[in-house]
């Protein structure tokens, strides 16, 4: 029974909001990074990014050429997190990027490194995200893609963990925080570890390229409800070499519906899953965060948007979705 309004811009009145410049990077009013809502009753700004990228600190960062055809641990000369953030900020046509190194591949990618060196590298990536952040214009986040895939076991499934300052690993691997071995159903323990190691601004997680029996068959826990915020509605192609936004990616509508039916309160993301050196430019897929007008776009406000599930998935680089109650008291993601 709620009213729905659609703005059809036949007259081109809003074209100035979507002007492009340079390397197809959107220009924005006042160069502040914000894109105000076309709907004047929706008091939020829109920010467009991708929250799934890898560098040579795990199995990504290869140049976006024919050499980037599969994951390579610690690719010599490949992009490090600082390079990924710099590319995304200056060329990537996105407002935010999350680099999420595979937790168990950071050791493989750092040949000859001690456990402490691997932990120090993870900490350096977290600091690189802070350094790359330019309030109002660009936000970098760091974290990890946790878990394994490749079988029908209930003990598998990838998660992204954002803004997590501690490397969470299995016993026997380098890390700051440990959960049982990957042969165990350790997702319950992982949710607890994320909740207990929040750090500044909080730390949240999302389900990646999910399958039917993943995550201990999607078993919910109180800690899982506290930290899980999203799911990949669109992901990849992981080894796309495009730098011109070639459409692509796998979709997971049925898995999103399954998670919702089991009671998970999560919002949809659109991942590029970059393994090549094309952060933000491989596809037009975007995760779009909505942040209240008058709030500075920075790590704190972006993580807060994730905590509130105020984001959505798009296969377009500047589409706006305004979803709210008629009294403007609640918006997408609110419970």
């Amino acid at each position: 029974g709620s009213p729905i309004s659609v703005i059809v811009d036949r007259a081109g009145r809003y074209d100035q909001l979507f002007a492009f410049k340079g390397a197809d990077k959107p220009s924005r009013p006042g160069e502040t990074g914000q894109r105000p809502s076309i709907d004047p009753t929706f008091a939020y700004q829109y920010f467009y990014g991708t929250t799934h990228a890898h560098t040579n600190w795990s199995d990504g960062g290869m140049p976006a050429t024919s050499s980037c055809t599969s994951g390579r641990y610690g690719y010599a000369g490949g992009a490090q997190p600082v390079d990924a953030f710099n590319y995304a900020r200056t060329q990537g046509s996105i407002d935010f990027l999350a680099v999420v190194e595979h937790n168990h591949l950071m050791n493989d990618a750092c040949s000859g490194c001690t456990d402490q060196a691997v932990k120090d590298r993870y900490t350096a990536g977290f600091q690189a995200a802070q350094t790359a952040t330019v309030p109002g214009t660009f936000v970098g986040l760091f974290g990890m893609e946790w878990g394994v895939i490749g079988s029908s076991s209930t003990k598998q499934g990838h998660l992204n963990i954002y803004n997590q300052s501690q490397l969470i690993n299995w016993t026997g691997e380098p890390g700051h925080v440990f959960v049982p071995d990957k042969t165990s159903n350790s997702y319950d323990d992982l949710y607890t570890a994320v909740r207990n190691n929040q750090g500044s601004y909080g730390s949240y997680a999302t389900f990646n390229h999910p399958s039917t029996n993943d995550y201990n068959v999607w078993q919910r826990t109180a800690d899982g409800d506290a930290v899980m915020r999203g799911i990949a509605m669109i992901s990849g192609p992981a080894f796309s070499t495009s730098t011109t936004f070639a459409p692509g990616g796998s979709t997971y509508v049925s898995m999103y519906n399954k998670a919702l039916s089991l009671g998970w309160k999560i919002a949809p993301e659109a991942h590029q899953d970059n393994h090549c050196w094309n952060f933000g430019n491989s596809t037009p897929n975007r995760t779009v965060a909505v942040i209240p007008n008058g709030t500075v776009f920075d790590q704190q406000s972006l993580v807060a948007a994730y905590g509130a599930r105020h984001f959505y998935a798009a296969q377009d680089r500047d589409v706006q979705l305004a979803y709210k109650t008629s009294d403007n008291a609640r918006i997408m993601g609110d419970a």
Side-chain angles (χ1 to χ4, degrees):
S2 299
I4 297 174
S5 60
V6 178
I7 297 174
V8 179
D9 189 24
R10 288 196 178 94
R13 288 172 293 178
Y14 303 104
D15 285 352
Q16 72 275 10
L17 295 180
F18 306 116
F20 286 82
K21 68 172 186 178
D24 215 16
K25 184 176 178 63
S27 61
R28 303 162 181 107
E31 293 299 313
T32 62
Q34 69 178 3
R35 297 190 204 169
S37 176
I38 295 173
D39 180 353
T41 70
F42 193 67
Y44 289 80
Q45 313 159 70
Y46 294 82
F47 298 91
Y48 300 76
T50 182
T51 49
H52 190 164
H54 305 287
T55 78
N56 75 346
W57 284 8
S58 62
D59 64 338
M62 290 81 76
T65 66
S66 58
S67 65
C68 184
T69 57
S70 63
R72 302 188 189 183
Y73 309 153
Y75 180 83
Q80 297 182 7
V82 65
D83 302 312
F85 291 130
N86 183 60
Y87 181 100
R89 185 179 65 248
T90 61
Q91 302 178 58
S93 189
I94 51 178
D95 301 315
F96 59 91
L97 174 75
V99 172
V100 285
E101 307 293 13
H102 289 279
N103 64 302
H104 60 106
L105 297 185
M106 289 199 71
N107 188 39
D108 298 339
C110 194
S111 179
C113 289
T114 63
D115 286 5
Q116 186 60 50
V118 173
K119 291 191 293 182
D120 290 345
R121 176 174 274 197
Y122 184 89
T123 300
F126 189 78
Q127 293 170 340
Q130 295 175 313
T131 301
T133 296
V134 180
T137 300
F138 179 82
V139 171
L141 292 178
F142 192 75
M144 74 202 81
E145 183 173 17
W146 193 95
V148 296
I149 58 173
S151 71
S152 59
S153 169
T154 63
K155 302 170 185 177
Q156 74 164 18
H158 277 169
L159 301 170
N160 277 349
I161 308 173
Y162 306 125
N163 200 47
Q164 175 55 247
S165 61
Q166 307 272 29
L167 175 57
I168 302 174
N169 227 328
W170 301 288
T171 302
E173 296 274 356
H176 301 98
V177 178
F178 298 98
V179 295
D181 184 83
K182 58 188 175 184
T183 60
S184 305
N185 281 323
S186 48
Y187 290 94
D188 293 2
D189 300 285
L190 174 67
Y191 302 145
T192 299
V194 175
R195 188 175 192 179
N196 290 343
N197 294 278
Q198 285 288 289
S200 58
Y201 311 141
S203 180
Y204 298 104
T206 60
F207 299 111
N208 285 359
H209 39 71
S211 294
T212 301
N213 292 321
D214 284 355
Y215 321 113
N216 193 18
V217 199
W218 300 86
Q219 181 66 46
R220 288 174 54 214
T221 69
D223 289 340
D225 287 343
V227 299
M228 296 307 301
R229 289 295 182 270
I231 187 172
M233 178 70 80
I234 310 158
S235 185
F239 300 102
S240 168
T241 60
S242 171
T243 56
T244 57
F245 317 106
S250 301
T251 57
Y252 300 92
V253 177
S254 63
M255 292 296 97
Y256 184 35
N257 290 336
K258 176 183 177 69
L260 294 178
S261 73
L262 293 173
W264 289 101
K265 292 182 173 64
I266 50 178
E269 292 184 302
H271 292 173
Q272 293 187 9
D273 195 3
N274 304 97
H275 286 72
C276 305
W277 200 325
N278 55 357
F279 307 98
N281 286 346
S282 64
T283 73
N285 298 341
R286 298 288 185 271
T287 297
V288 188
V290 290
I291 293 174
N293 289 345
T295 300
V296 175
F297 177 57
D298 54 17
Q299 284 187 321
Q300 183 173 7
S301 60
L302 179 58
V303 174
Y306 256 77
R309 296 174 296 269
H310 291 172
F311 57 91
Y312 60 91
Q315 291 175 293
D316 183 281
R317 288 179 289 156
D318 53 19
V319 66
Q320 293 189 1
L321 173 63
Y323 192 82
K324 60 183 178 62
T325 55
S326 57
D327 61 0
N328 298 301
R330 296 286 184 268
I331 70 164
M332 64 184 84
D334 288 344

